C-alpha cells in the first residue's frame, strides 16, 4: 500500500453536479473554478470534468446484498460476498442493525462488477467491458485489469479520482482546501477538533458506523439513521473517514493529459481515509493505492455515473 499527499487543481467544466441516493436526486450546479496551490500541498494539476453524478452515501450493505443476490441469479459472480461494516459477518443477511453500515471486505474487482450488475438491473447500460463484453465475473481479474470504462454510458460506475476530489471539496462558493477533512471550509479560527464533526476517523471511532452519521454522539444501544450527521458543503456524507473509497484510476503521477488516469498500472487509487489507523490520512488531497485484489474491513466505495440529462 502506498499513500501520497496530493492537491488537485480542477477546472470544472461540468454544468451539473449531482449527489443521489438510490431513491432520490439532489442537484448541485458547478461553476468554472480554479484551485490555487496552497499550504502543504505537493502538486497542482488541472483536469477538465464532464457533468457527473455521485452518491450522497457510501454504498450500504443492504443495497450491496440486494444487488449481489439478484445479480448472481443473472449469472454474475463475485469473488467476495462482502460484509456489513467492519464488525459484521461475511454474506450476512441484512437486518435493522447492519443494513446501513457501509459494505466492506470487497475488492476493487468486486466493486466494478457490482456496478455493472446494478446498471443492468436498473435498465442502464453497463460501463465496464473487456473485448466489448460486459464484465460479470470479479474472479476474472485479467479481464477486469484490461477492461475499459465507457464513460459515455449511463450505467453506474466508480468515480474517477478527479470526480471524487471535486465532490469532496466542492462548497457553495468554490472549493475548500485540500489539506483538510471534507466539509471543513478554511477558517483561521476553526477549532482543532472540527474534523470530528464530519468524519468517523481513528480519533473518534474504532469501527465503521451507519453512513451519514459523522458528528453524532455514538450510542451502541441506539443505531442512528443515515443522513442524521453532518454532510460536507456539497451535501455529501463521509467523503472523509468511515471507509476508504475505491476510484477508477490506476495509481500514477497525476497529470492533466489523462483525465481518467493512466492507461495501465499495478495499483488502483483509493481516497478519503477511514476509521482505521492503517488509513489515518483523511484529507481531501490524500491519495492511497492498493492492489485491486485486496480486501479489508475498511475498504468500501460509492457509486457514480455520467450525467447525460440536465436536471
Amino acid at each position: 500500500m502506498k499513500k501520497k499527499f496530493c492537491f488537485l487543481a480542477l477546472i470544472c467544466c461540468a454544468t451539473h453536479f449531482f449527489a443521489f441516493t438510490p431513491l432520490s436526486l439532489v442537484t448541485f450546479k458547478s461553476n468554472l473554478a480554479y484551485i490555487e496551490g496552497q499550504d502543504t500541498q505537493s502538486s497542482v494539476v488541472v483536469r477538465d470534468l464532464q457533468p457527473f453524478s455521485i452518491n450522497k452515501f457510501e454504498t450500504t450493505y443492504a443495497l450491496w446484498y440486494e444487488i449481489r443476490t439478484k445479480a448472481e441469479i443473472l449469472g454474475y459472480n463475485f469473488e467476495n460476498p462482502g460484509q456489513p461494516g467492519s464488525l459484521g459477518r461475511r454474506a450476512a443477511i441484512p437486518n435493522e442493525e447492519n443494513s446501513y453500515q457501509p459494505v466492506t471486505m470487497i475488492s476493487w474487482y468486486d466493486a466494478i462488477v457490482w456496478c455493472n450488475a446494478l446498471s443492468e438491473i436498473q435498465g442502464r447500460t453497463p460501463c465496464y467491458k473487456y473485448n466489448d463484453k460486459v464484465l460479470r465475473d470479479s474472479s476474472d481479474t485479467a479481464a477486469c485489469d484490461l477492461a475499459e470504462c465507457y464513460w459515455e454510458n449511463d450505467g453506474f460506475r466508480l468515480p474517477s479520482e478527479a470526480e471524487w476530489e471535486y465532490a469532496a471539496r466542492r462548497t457553495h462558493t468554490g472549493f475548500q482546501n485540500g489539506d483538510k477533512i471534507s466539509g471543513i471550509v478554511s477558517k483561521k479560527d476553526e477549532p482543532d477538533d472540527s474534523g470530528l464533526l464530519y468524519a468517523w476517523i481513528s480519533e473518534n471511532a474504532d469501527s465503521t458506523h451507519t453512513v451519514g452519521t459523522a458528528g453524532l454522539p455514538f450510542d451502541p444501544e441506539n443505531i442512528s439513521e443515515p443522513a442524521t450527521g453532518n454532510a460536507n458543503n456539497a451535501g455529501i456524507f463521509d467523503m472523509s473517514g468511515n471507509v476508504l473509497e475505491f476510484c477508477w484510476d490506476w495509481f500514477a503521477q497525476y497529470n492533466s493529459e489523462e483525465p481518467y488516469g493512466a492507461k495501465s498500472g499495478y495499483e488502483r487509487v483509493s481516497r478519503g481515509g477511514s476509521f482505521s489507523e492503517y488509513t489515518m490520512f483523511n484529507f481531501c488531497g490524500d491519495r492511497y493505492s492498493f492492489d485491486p485484489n485486496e480486501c479489508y474491513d475498511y475498504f468500501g466505495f460509492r457509486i457514480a455515473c455520467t450525467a447525460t440529462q440536465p436536471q
Side-chain angles (χ1 to χ4, degrees):
M1 184 275 289
K2 298 175 182 175
K3 180 265 175 184
K4 183 178 180 181
F5 193 61
C6 184
F7 180 79
L8 313 185
L10 307 179
I11 291 181
C12 301
C13 295
T15 56
H16 293 84
F17 168 65
F18 310 108
F20 64 91
T21 71
L23 299 177
S24 64
L25 288 173
V26 178
T27 302
F28 298 88
K29 292 183 177 180
S30 66
N31 299 310
L32 290 177
Y34 184 79
I35 311 298
E36 297 289 348
Q38 55 196 327
D39 301 325
T40 61
Q41 308 300 338
S42 59
S43 63
V44 178
V45 179
V46 174
R47 281 186 177 176
D48 294 337
L49 296 180
Q50 299 302 312
F52 70 100
S53 305
I54 192 166
N55 204 345
K56 286 178 67 175
F57 304 107
E58 294 164 331
T59 302
T60 62
Y61 182 70
L63 179 59
W64 165 271
Y65 183 92
E66 176 187 358
I67 298 304
R68 178 180 65 79
T69 52
K70 287 180 178 179
E72 288 171 342
I73 296 173
L74 298 175
Y76 280 80
N77 178 61
F78 298 90
E79 186 75 359
N80 301 286
Q83 73 179 40
S86 58
L87 302 177
R89 179 174 57 83
R90 284 166 61 87
I93 296 174
N95 58 41
E96 184 177 354
E97 292 185 357
N98 67 26
S99 289
Y100 295 111
Q101 285 279 318
V103 63
T104 64
M105 290 303 296
I106 56 169
S107 71
W108 184 92
Y109 298 129
D110 294 314
I112 64 169
V113 169
W114 186 90
C115 286
N116 275 354
L118 176 62
S119 301
E120 185 174 343
I121 288 169
Q122 293 205 352
R124 296 185 178 223
T125 305
C127 294
Y128 299 120
K129 297 181 180 181
Y130 173 62
N131 281 343
D132 207 34
K133 293 182 179 179
V134 174
L135 296 181
R136 292 188 170 90
D137 183 1
S138 70
S139 69
D140 188 354
T141 58
C144 291
D145 281 336
L146 296 171
E148 293 183 63
C149 181
Y150 289 73
W151 300 92
E152 69 277 10
N153 290 355
D154 67 351
F156 296 104
R157 54 175 175 76
L158 298 178
S160 69
E161 185 177 15
E163 288 173 339
W164 187 96
E165 184 161 340
Y166 182 95
R169 294 177 55 195
R170 193 71 172 94
T171 71
H172 300 299
T173 58
F175 293 90
Q176 70 166 81
N177 288 8
D179 63 341
K180 297 184 182 298
I181 281 175
S182 181
I184 298 179
V185 178
S186 179
K187 293 181 180 179
K188 293 181 179 180
D189 59 350
E190 66 184 17
D192 292 339
D193 62 351
S194 59
L196 304 184
L197 297 175
Y198 296 96
W200 293 117
I201 57 179
S202 60
E203 294 179 41
N204 64 349
D206 56 10
S207 66
T208 57
H209 293 300
T210 298
V211 299
T213 60
L216 296 180
F218 176 60
D219 181 1
E221 302 299 322
N222 182 22
I223 305 301
S224 300
E225 293 295 317
T228 52
N230 295 320
N232 71 3
N233 286 267
I236 305 174
F237 298 88
D238 298 312
M239 290 300 288
S240 291
N242 216 18
V243 292
L244 192 67
E245 300 179 13
F246 298 131
C247 295
W248 162 257
D249 307 44
W250 288 106
F251 187 83
Q253 185 67 36
Y254 203 89
N255 62 59
S256 58
E257 287 72 37
E258 298 173 301
Y260 301 116
K263 303 299 183 185
S264 62
Y266 298 98
E267 296 178 320
R268 296 283 184 170
V269 172
S270 294
R271 288 296 207 111
S274 77
F275 75 92
S276 173
E277 291 183 350
Y278 291 109
T279 56
M280 63 185 298
F281 301 100
N282 302 285
F283 296 155
C284 296
D286 286 335
R287 304 176 76 200
Y288 287 87
S289 65
F290 287 89
D291 186 301
N293 203 44
E294 292 183 80
C295 298
Y296 298 109
D297 65 1
Y298 49 86
F299 275 6
F301 72 104
R302 71 180 70 224
I303 52 180
C305 65
T306 299
T308 57
Q309 297 293 330
Q311 297 292 317

